[in-house]
Amino acid sequence: HPFELVRADGTAAGVAPASGEDGADDRFEARLTPARIETLGGPLPVIEGTWRICGRRGDGALVPAVLDRPLADRLPLETVVARKPFALATGREERAVLIVRRDLGDDERGPFHQRRLRATAYAERRSAPPRDAVVYASFGGRQYSDSPRAIHEELVRRDAPLEHLWVVRDGQCRPPETAAVLREGSREYHEALATARFVVTNDHFPDWFARRPDQVCVQTWHGTPLKRLGLDVSDMRRTIRRFQRRWDQQVANWQYVISPNRFSTPILQRAYAIEGELLETGYPRVDVLARPDRDVLAQQLRQRLGPPEGRRRPPRPLPARPAARPRLAARDRRRRHRAAVPQAPLHPRRRADRRRRLRARRVELPRRDRAAAGRGRARDRLLVDDGRLRQHRAPDALLHLR
């Protein structure tokens, strides 16, 4: 009787599995560890939100856990783990829910305190002497990855006399010991952005951030523009998108922009109205493929992915990455998402021990489609079944990778 935590806010989803053991009288015990979920990136806590506690039947259906009245009367039960508040409570029809909040202090959490920190911890510290430190951010603090990671590892290899600070949002990644954790939204986060001599990111800077004259900001970006980006999308839709309202302030922070190749340089410059210097050096994240120890790293990766025991060959990577596309209209004029992966068998000779690992990707949806997803009409899940990648309608807003 496995139990799972299912995030049920209608906009994002996740699953945290737990093990259970059968006991006498059709009873069983299950232990959930929401503050420490095992992932490929190490043990991580569940992200903020409301999580339903569900059991999974033999046929795969989710069954919400319902609390007895005596237990429900004792709720909520609250605790804090690594600055992150957890509360066991009841939802509709006495169903058990876990309410998780961000790993911020009481004087840091919420719009009011965030505005106060910008006016004090950030604005007042901008005139302080610069700090010999590098602030890294990858996908808004959700990952320890990509080109910021490659730059960090190279600076560490060179033993650069710098302090390394990695932005982490709500405990979603685990940087190595060579970088100190900088909780996104905390007082220390605002102070570091105000005083650090170097800032490296692969996504937009915070709207309130403004580069100091003695700061060096590097925008590594994170992909090859095989689709419309930035201002090009706005021109296509003939509208002004929200991110453009302060774009002059945003792009002024893009002091140095890394381009992956000659093809991308003019597209990035046009799509983002870049005025800073474009460095056509290729992405630092790709340098790992030319390292002399790349075969050793590849073997370590295979071990982490855990191929079945006795397998003669390591699992083959699947070069599939769904991405946003320009508007695709069907005959009924409704938006359609064209599958980025063909619905053909993934391998003509699929064996029983063959595994597929898929990586979820955030896709920006038009406002109307986001509203539909929130009402449950567009909650799809991807799964690999009989060697095919299929998209299934799911009532529980889950993304299953099987």
Side-chain angles (χ1 to χ4, degrees):
H1 300 277
F3 264 62
E4 297 177 355
L5 290 173
V6 181
R7 192 176 178 194
D9 61 1
T11 60
V15 177
S19 62
E21 297 181 358
D22 289 328
D25 302 328
D26 293 329
R27 296 185 180 185
F28 58 90
E29 295 181 358
R31 182 176 187 142
L32 294 169
T33 58
R36 191 179 177 85
I37 304 298
E38 293 297 330
T39 70
L40 286 176
L44 300 175
V46 294
I47 61 177
E48 63 174 329
T50 300
W51 297 77
R52 293 182 295 125
I53 301 178
C54 300
R56 187 173 291 280
R57 298 189 316 205
D59 58 1
L62 290 172
V63 180
V66 180
L67 299 174
D68 285 340
R69 171 59 64 178
L71 177 58
D73 292 340
R74 295 165 50 194
L75 300 183
L77 298 177
E78 300 177 346
T79 188
V80 177
V81 180
R83 298 176 182 260
K84 195 172 178 65
F86 296 84
L88 179 64
T90 56
R92 296 179 180 178
E93 301 177 358
E94 304 296 338
R95 296 181 178 181
V97 296
L98 184 69
I99 302 173
V100 184
R101 303 175 73 183
R102 286 188 59 184
D103 57 349
L104 297 176
D106 292 338
D107 59 345
E108 299 170 335
R109 191 180 295 112
F112 171 79
H113 292 297
Q114 287 294 299
R115 289 193 298 269
R116 183 180 56 81
L117 289 173
R118 294 169 200 167
T120 56
Y122 177 71
E124 293 180 1
R125 294 283 292 171
R126 279 175 52 82
S127 59
R131 176 181 174 186
D132 290 333
V134 188
V135 174
Y136 306 89
S138 180
F139 299 105
R142 294 188 298 274
Q143 296 181 11
Y144 172 69
S145 65
D146 209 61
S147 293
R149 172 178 176 172
I151 294 175
H152 165 68
E153 292 176 347
E154 179 62 20
L155 289 176
V156 171
R157 187 188 70 83
R158 298 186 183 188
D159 197 20
L162 295 167
E163 183 182 4
H164 303 277
L165 307 172
W166 197 276
V167 177
V168 177
R169 179 181 175 85
D170 200 25
Q172 294 186 54
C173 65
R174 290 172 59 90
E177 295 180 356
T178 52
V181 172
L182 197 62
R183 291 176 296 113
E184 197 269 344
S186 66
R187 173 176 292 275
E188 295 78 12
Y189 167 76
H190 289 82
E191 292 177 349
L193 285 180
T195 59
R197 191 179 295 277
F198 303 98
V199 181
V200 179
T201 184
N202 68 349
D203 211 332
H204 292 182
F205 291 88
D207 293 339
W208 43 266
F209 175 78
R211 183 179 66 85
R212 289 171 43 160
D214 53 359
Q215 268 185 325
V216 176
C217 293
V218 180
Q219 171 60 265
T220 70
W221 207 235
H222 53 264
T224 300
L226 300 178
K227 60 181 181 181
R228 295 183 186 269
L229 297 171
L231 303 178
D232 288 347
V233 176
S234 302
D235 293 341
M236 179 188 66
R237 297 180 182 175
R238 297 180 180 180
T239 184
I240 296 178
R241 300 162 71 198
R242 190 165 114 188
F243 83 92
Q244 294 178 242
R245 296 173 186 172
R246 298 182 179 178
W247 186 248
D248 290 342
Q249 177 180 337
Q250 173 68 221
V251 77
N253 298 321
W254 295 25
Q255 183 181 12
Y256 297 103
V257 182
I258 297 180
S259 171
N261 46 56
R262 287 180 296 173
F263 167 79
S264 303
T265 298
I267 298 177
L268 291 173
Q269 194 163 24
R270 182 188 66 245
Y272 292 109
I274 296 174
E275 299 176 355
E277 185 175 353
L278 269 161
L279 306 177
E280 202 173 275
T281 60
Y283 283 146
R285 68 185 186 186
V286 183
D287 292 349
V288 67
L289 301 178
R291 284 173 51 171
D293 60 343
R294 61 182 180 273
D295 293 335
V296 176
L297 295 175
Q299 182 61 32
Q300 293 175 354
L301 178 61
R302 294 187 188 104
Q303 293 175 356
R304 287 185 62 198
L305 294 178
E309 189 154 340
R311 184 188 179 91
R312 290 178 297 176
R313 294 186 302 170
R316 296 174 113 185
L318 176 65
R321 186 181 183 185
R325 294 289 186 270
R327 180 181 300 183
L328 300 175
R331 293 182 180 180
D332 58 358
R333 296 182 179 273
R334 294 182 180 179
R335 299 180 192 271
R336 290 291 181 264
H337 177 71
R338 182 176 298 167
V341 183
Q343 302 298 307
L346 296 178
H347 196 276
R349 294 176 297 174
R350 177 179 179 270
R351 301 205 311 260
D353 63 349
R354 184 168 296 280
R355 289 188 176 185
R356 293 287 184 259
R357 291 200 178 271
L358 307 179
R359 176 184 175 187
R361 187 184 192 279
R362 297 192 321 141
V363 176
E364 181 181 353
L365 295 175
R367 183 176 301 175
R368 180 176 59 184
D369 293 349
R370 289 200 301 267
R375 291 191 297 270
R377 294 206 310 259
R379 300 176 184 179
D380 294 337
R381 62 181 177 181
L382 295 173
L383 61 86
V384 175
D385 183 26
D386 296 332
R388 295 175 181 268
L389 181 67
R390 299 179 178 178
Q391 195 170 18
H392 290 259
R393 189 72 59 180
D396 291 304
L398 296 180
L399 184 66
H400 288 273
L401 303 182
R402 293 183 176 176

